[in-house]
Amino acid sequence: MTGRELAARLGPVGVWTFALERRPVQEERDALAELETLGFPAVWIPEGRGSKEILSHAALLLPATRRVVLATGIASIWARDPVAMATGARTLADAFPGRFVLGIGVSHRTSVDRRGAVRYERPYQRMVRYLDAMEGTRYPVRPVPEGPPIVLAALGPRMLRLAAERTAGAHPYFVPVEHTAVAREVLGPEPFLGPEQAVVLDADPPRAREVAREYMSHYLKLENYSRNLLRLGWTEEDLAGGGSDRLVDALVGWGDADAIRRQVRAHLDAGADHVSIQVLVADPMAMPMPQ
């Protein structure tokens, strides 16, 4: 599937959520069905070290709806070998034609090293070899069904170029609108570009920024994200203390529904095809539902 075809399939706005994996499976399915009734065409689910295994998780969620496209944001290449990734993803695409997108990425050194079985080293080179191995993997069904579209969790220029050359496109996470413009320039016009956008539905500045900083504080400690922000021109002072007000406002859209729409529109105007909204709330165990 080409980047343009994937953009058309996912539409301009989807949902990105940690909330589903924190619930029993039946509650997840009910929530996904509700998102379908609200009209969202795509839902992105994550994979961290403490997450549900993402391919089996997707297999449990896909039957809950008839039309929603489920996307992994992202499946870590360190969590399974490339043959397992390729055959697992193709099995889902075979069972649910047109409804599964495989987002893969190199994750982060701290997350990978804590897995114990692998070491995080030379991530770009690892991704190149991983894609090579995935492309060479056989699938037993004949005729071979169409595989899922693949997107990379790409931030820097090299990974963005790799996404453009080897996959349908890129799924950047924890990025301001200015990164979307840079990413589109690097990718070119054809590949898919689908950034995640965190939002807080609260128009009170101190309260909204408090929720945003709680979310941001973890990511600002991760090398891949902090390096990306510094590359965009943000300073160490902006990254300190959970983020300056200016950085908070750039990374997390907050306010009423119109303010959130403006933030999403800014990404689309900067070159995004699809923006996946992650709703943040003060209670991490809540299951917020975008409207």
Side-chain angles (χ1 to χ4, degrees), residues 197-213 215-216 243-264 267 277-281:
Q197 174 65 63
V199 302
V200 180
L201 289 164
D202 192 332
D204 179 74
R207 200 164 53 220
R209 288 180 177 137
E210 181 180 3
V211 173
R213 283 193 175 93
Y215 157 80
M216 290 171 54
S244 65
D245 282 356
R246 192 169 69 95
L247 183 59
V248 170
D249 296 349
L251 285 170
V252 179
W254 57 267
D256 60 16
D258 286 339
I260 303 307
R261 290 190 190 98
R262 287 193 294 272
Q263 186 80 1
V264 171
H267 277 289
I277 299 172
Q278 179 178 185
V279 179
L280 308 177
V281 292

Side-chain angles (χ1 to χ4, degrees), residues 122-184:
R122 299 173 66 83
Y124 175 81
Q125 289 79 5
R126 167 82 177 209
M127 179 60 83
V128 171
R129 294 195 304 272
Y130 200 93
L131 290 171
D132 290 342
M134 286 185 68
E135 289 176 4
T137 299
R138 296 184 60 191
Y139 189 69
V141 176
R142 295 293 182 274
V144 179
E146 181 181 6
I150 299 172
V151 296
L152 297 189
L155 296 175
R158 283 206 305 172
M159 198 67 80
L160 285 165
R161 285 192 291 268
L162 185 66
E165 294 165 2
R166 300 288 299 274
T167 74
H171 172 54
Y173 183 90
F174 198 68
V175 293
V177 170
E178 64 199 278
H179 181 272
T180 295
V182 170
R184 176 51 72 195

Side-chain angles (χ1 to χ4, degrees), residues 64-242:
T65 67
R66 297 177 59 191
R67 297 178 302 277
V68 170
V69 176
L70 198 72
T72 59
I74 49 84
S76 172
I77 66 171
W78 311 90
R80 59 196 62 79
D81 67 62
V83 173
M85 184 80 84
T87 55
R90 193 174 284 273
T91 301
L92 291 172
D94 186 3
F96 302 95
R99 294 190 50 219
F100 179 67
V101 175
L102 179 65
I104 64 175
V106 298
S107 188
H108 304 276
R109 183 182 305 277
T110 52
S111 298
V112 172
D113 288 350
R114 286 200 298 267
R115 287 183 175 274
V118 291
R119 288 186 60 196
Y120 187 91
E121 53 189 4
R122 299 173 66 83
Y124 175 81
Q125 289 79 5
R126 167 82 177 209
M127 179 60 83
V128 171
R129 294 195 304 272
Y130 200 93
L131 290 171
D132 290 342
M134 286 185 68
E135 289 176 4
T137 299
R138 296 184 60 191
Y139 189 69
V141 176
R142 295 293 182 274
V144 179
E146 181 181 6
I150 299 172
V151 296
L152 297 189
L155 296 175
R158 283 206 305 172
M159 198 67 80
L160 285 165
R161 285 192 291 268
L162 185 66
E165 294 165 2
R166 300 288 299 274
T167 74
H171 172 54
Y173 183 90
F174 198 68
V175 293
V177 170
E178 64 199 278
H179 181 272
T180 295
V182 170
R184 176 51 72 195
E185 183 175 356
V186 174
L187 289 169
E190 293 302 317
F192 170 83
L193 177 58
E196 171 268 354
Q197 174 65 63
V199 302
V200 180
L201 289 164
D202 192 332
D204 179 74
R207 200 164 53 220
R209 288 180 177 137
E210 181 180 3
V211 173
R213 283 193 175 93
E214 181 66 26
Y215 157 80
M216 290 171 54
S217 60
H218 167 67
Y219 294 112
L220 290 175
K221 297 172 185 175
L222 297 176
E223 179 184 8
N224 296 5
Y225 293 133
S226 61
R227 191 188 318 121
N228 185 55
L229 292 169
L230 294 171
R231 185 167 49 233
L232 291 170
W234 298 90
T235 67
E236 294 285 0
E237 290 73 22
D238 284 314
L239 274 61

Side-chain angles (χ1 to χ4, degrees), residues 6-93:
L6 180 57
R9 180 163 295 178
L10 296 191
V13 181
V15 173
W16 202 107
T17 180
F18 276 105
L20 293 176
E21 71 170 15
R22 294 168 178 157
R23 298 290 183 172
V25 170
Q26 189 54 55
E27 290 185 24
E28 294 185 84
R29 289 171 171 163
D30 292 343
L32 202 61
E34 184 175 350
L35 288 172
E36 183 172 46
T37 64
L38 292 172
F40 290 101
V43 175
W44 297 75
I45 59 172
E47 179 173 57
R49 191 174 66 92
S51 298
K52 296 173 181 176
E53 194 282 318
I54 202 163
L55 297 183
S56 56
H57 193 193
L60 293 170
L61 295 181
L62 279 162
T65 67
R66 297 177 59 191
R67 297 178 302 277
V68 170
V69 176
L70 198 72
T72 59
I74 49 84
S76 172
I77 66 171
W78 311 90
R80 59 196 62 79
D81 67 62
V83 173
M85 184 80 84
T87 55
R90 193 174 284 273
T91 301
L92 291 172

